[in-house]
Amino acid sequence: MKEKPPVIDIRDVNFRYDRENVLEHINLSIPQGAFVGLVGPNGSGKSTLLKIILGLLKAKEGGVELFGIPQDKFKEWDRIGFVSQKANSFNTGFPATVSEVVMGGLTKKIGLFRRPGQKEKEAVAQAVRAVGMETFLTRNIGDLSGGQQQRVFIARAIVSNPSILILDEPTVGVDSQNVDSFYRMLTQLNQELGITLLLVTHDIGTITDKVTHVACLNKYLHFHGSMKQFVELDEQELSDLYGHGIRLLDHHHDH
Amino acid sequence: MIEAIFTYEFLQNAFLSGAIIGVIAPLLGAFIVVRRLSLIADALSHVTLSGIAAGLFLGQTIPAFAAVNPLYFGMAFSVGGSLLIERLRNVYKHYQELAIPIMMSGGIGIGVIFISLADGFNTDLFSYLFGSVSAVSRGDLYAVIGISAIVLITVYFLYKELFILSFDEEYAKASGIPAKAVHMAFIILTALVIAVSMRIVGVLLVSALMTLPVAAAMRVAKGFKQTIWLSVLFGEISVITGLISAFYLDLAPGGTIVVTSILILLGVIIWKKEKN
């Protein structure tokens, strides 16, 4: 049997704004079913790399393949779900229920001039259940906490049944006691629904024990391997990779 | 009252138009309010006034135009104004609200010039400013019915696009929905509804019928669909109560309709406060 192509395959991508190199020689391959953490300090080019993956920016050199198809020929964008940082575009006072918001994720799929039917309603109920928000279906989105709102937006992203979910700093605005259950939910999506996850964050400490692969970005992609290899790196190596002294593994050991 | 409605055609025109406008003005109003475009409705109503004034003036001076309902001039100006507002909002990207005072004063300015040219204020103009129970013609009623049919059909078939555009514009654009086209369709519909609603509530108060019922509904509704239904209910109560009291007390319906919707709004705010 032929092996499934990687969900995202980035080959030797370079990118610069004006004369400043933002990304250099990036190679990143995300296999199906992985839970990849893409970490890097602020200004390391994470957002730029995301925009390149999503086709919003064009790489100056190198190529991106999605599901084995070169990006410029790729048409099935609904296979890629995207959750941006919370509250950058939606207005919290908006009188919409959780189910109305999640149904919004099917707008494109249903198509112009058509109205949602029973099948779509079931898809919404299922997506809301997957993020553990089923008891909030008829609540207004503005009445929920930041973490609950972020779950609703994840439900909106997965309702159209994507193969991969890209999350950009999803825990910004989620209070610290809810961050753990938020990651448990992500792990469930990954393991039970088989959704490939690409999680972008500047906070490496919180994800070390959740992800299956980790990629460290700081203009260059410094490390891309399994979590096991990653935790075996000693502090000096990590410091070299990450660009400055970090104590990210504190989180991982009990003390 | 009921008897009078069956007897007098002008009352039929006013009540039927009012009942229909009581549905479509708050229906579009729900989208306008959540998109924070309430003031655009105001600007467009003033532009509509200049269209009406132009129509009245042309009707007086050129016999060929005398047969044309000034309402159609109002509609044309309103739609033109809505397209101009969009243009101005792009010109002043960081000060988008500037488009509103520009259009508002422009509308009134041009309106006043035509009014002066047409020999000043008369009762006809007064009815356009504040609405009227007696001045609604059969032709006006047909215009209301036609525009309302277009509005209802469009909102029915584009509901999910209009919703996602209102809720999260960036997401709508990113997910490949024809955001620009849907937005333009919506703005043009708004312009048309403002033009036809004006016959009942008047130029100066038409935006109130689009925003006050929604303001009340948002306090108590769960979700957007419920907001729409409650807005329509409150709008309808305001229009009918307003028209009946205007008829019996010989008042301009614009005033009675707006006062009724303010009373509903106050009632809802107080009820909500008591409940918590």
Side-chain angles (χ1 to χ4, degrees), chain A residues 95-102 136-141, chain B residues 222-224:
Chain A
T97 61
V98 167
S99 74
E100 285 178 322
V101 172
V102 176
F136 297 89
L137 263 177
T138 57
R139 290 275 290 277
N140 276 347
I141 181 92
Chain B
K222 279 221 156 51
F224 193 62

Side-chain angles (χ1 to χ4, degrees), chain B:
Chain B
M1 183 76 205
I2 301 290
E3 209 177 303
I5 286 185
F6 283 113
T7 321
Y8 301 110
E9 194 190 284
F10 76 87
L11 275 185
Q12 292 170 11
N13 296 342
F15 274 86
L16 278 175
S17 303
I20 297 170
I21 287 164
V23 174
I24 57 167
L27 168 65
L28 283 190
F31 294 99
I32 290 176
V33 170
V34 294
R35 296 188 65 188
R36 304 184 193 279
L37 298 176
S38 306
L39 287 172
I40 282 188
D42 245 327
L44 287 180
S45 66
H46 288 75
V47 174
T48 307
L49 175 71
S50 61
I52 300 274
L56 289 172
F57 168 69
L58 288 174
Q60 264 182 19
T61 47
I62 304 169
F65 282 113
V68 181
N69 190 335
L71 194 57
Y72 291 106
F73 286 95
M75 283 188 205
F77 272 59
S78 186
V79 171
S82 67
L83 302 177
L84 258 176
I85 286 181
E86 286 312 303
R87 264 289 168 76
L88 283 172
R89 273 156 61 91
N90 285 331
V91 173
Y92 293 102
K93 274 209 159 60
H94 301 286
Y95 296 95
Q96 294 200 335
E97 73 280 5
L98 254 184
I100 287 154
I102 293 173
M103 293 308 290
M104 216 169 206
S105 48
I108 290 281
I110 296 169
V112 163
I113 290 177
F114 280 117
I115 291 165
S116 322
L117 285 173
D119 280 339
F121 283 84
N122 53 30
T123 43
D124 217 16
L125 189 67
F126 187 83
S127 79
Y128 281 108
L129 284 177
F130 303 110
S132 166
V133 184
S134 58
V136 184
S137 68
R138 256 301 123 113
D140 293 337
L141 174 61
Y142 292 147
V144 169
I145 293 173
I147 298 296
S148 304
I150 296 173
V151 169
L152 290 175
I153 290 169
T154 311
V155 173
Y156 183 82
F157 285 108
L158 287 180
Y159 175 82
K160 64 185 192 315
E161 281 79 15
L162 287 169
F163 170 80
I164 197 73
L165 196 61
S166 311
F167 179 69
D168 191 342
E169 196 167 335
E170 259 177 50
Y171 175 83
K173 283 177 183 158
S175 56
I177 287 147
K180 233 183 177 158
V182 173
H183 173 72
M184 274 335 285
F186 174 73
I187 285 292
I188 290 170
L189 284 187
T190 305
L192 290 171
V193 167
I194 285 169
V196 294
S197 305
M198 186 202 51
R199 211 61 183 108
I200 296 289
V201 277
V203 167
L204 297 179
L205 298 170
V206 61
S207 68
L209 190 55
M210 302 187 111
T211 50
L212 295 183
V214 185
M218 276 171 76
R219 299 293 304 163
V220 286
K222 279 221 156 51
F224 193 62
K225 276 203 175 133
Q226 217 180 79
T227 303
I228 290 181
W229 288 117
L230 275 177
S231 304
V232 168
L233 178 72
F234 293 154
E236 197 62 36
I237 294 172
S238 307
V239 170
I240 298 300
T241 314
L243 280 177
I244 291 173
S245 46
F247 175 71
Y248 279 111
L249 305 170
D250 196 21
L251 300 167
T256 52
I257 289 171
V258 168
V259 168
T260 314
S261 33
I262 285 183
L263 289 177
I264 293 175
L265 179 63
L266 281 177
V268 167
I269 292 175
I270 291 167
W271 179 78
K272 176 93 186 192
K273 238 191 174 146
E274 290 295 308
K275 218 183 102 193
N276 291 346

Side-chain angles (χ1 to χ4, degrees), chain A residues 10-28:
Chain A
I10 298 172
R11 281 184 208 147
D12 209 24
V13 160
N14 290 324
F15 190 86
R16 54 186 159 268
Y17 288 113
D18 295 325
R19 269 192 218 109
E20 193 194 348
N21 288 342
V22 182
L23 298 172
E24 281 185 33
H25 303 292
I26 305 295
N27 285 287
L28 175 66

